[in-house]
Amino acid sequence: MIARIWRGVVRREDAVAYANYINSTGMAEYRSTPGNQGAWMLRRDEGDRSEIITFSLWDSRDSIRAFAGVDIDRAVFYPEDDRFLIERDLSVRHYEVVA
């Protein structure tokens, strides 16, 4: 099993709207892709910013390719991301789940 983790930052006052938006786009797409075993969004507020992390579990790298395309280390963005994100990782990290 492979864990896929991405990080971005929004203004704190935009955190709820961004979370709702990502839940209806990216998280919904994660969950509907065959081979996905679950997807979660984490939020941590610090000062006037909110860090958002998406965490999903996949059967294999091949199942991730069905969602993300050939370059699975490249982050997938949606149209409204530019409106919300003030900081973003352009890449995604993958970890093999060992326990």
Side-chain angles (χ1 to χ4, degrees), residues 31-84:
R31 292 180 182 124
S32 68
T33 302
N36 179 266
Q37 298 300 312
W40 299 268
M41 188 178 348
L42 310 174
R43 174 181 163 190
R44 182 175 64 99
D45 296 329
E46 189 172 304
D48 63 348
R49 296 175 166 219
S50 293
E51 178 182 28
I52 305 291
I53 294 176
T54 61
F55 173 82
S56 53
L57 294 173
W58 299 83
D59 288 341
S60 66
R61 292 182 188 275
D62 286 337
S63 59
I64 296 171
R65 282 184 192 91
F67 164 75
V70 175
D71 185 1
I72 65 170
D73 293 324
R74 188 171 145 200
V76 174
F77 293 103
Y78 295 87
E80 290 293 308
D81 286 336
D82 288 338
R83 187 178 118 199
F84 290 108

Side-chain angles (χ1 to χ4, degrees), residues 10-28:
V10 299
R11 294 179 311 181
R12 191 172 186 168
E13 63 264 22
D14 290 336
V16 170
Y18 184 67
N20 289 338
Y21 169 70
I22 288 301
N23 211 23
S24 66
T25 56
M27 302 306 279

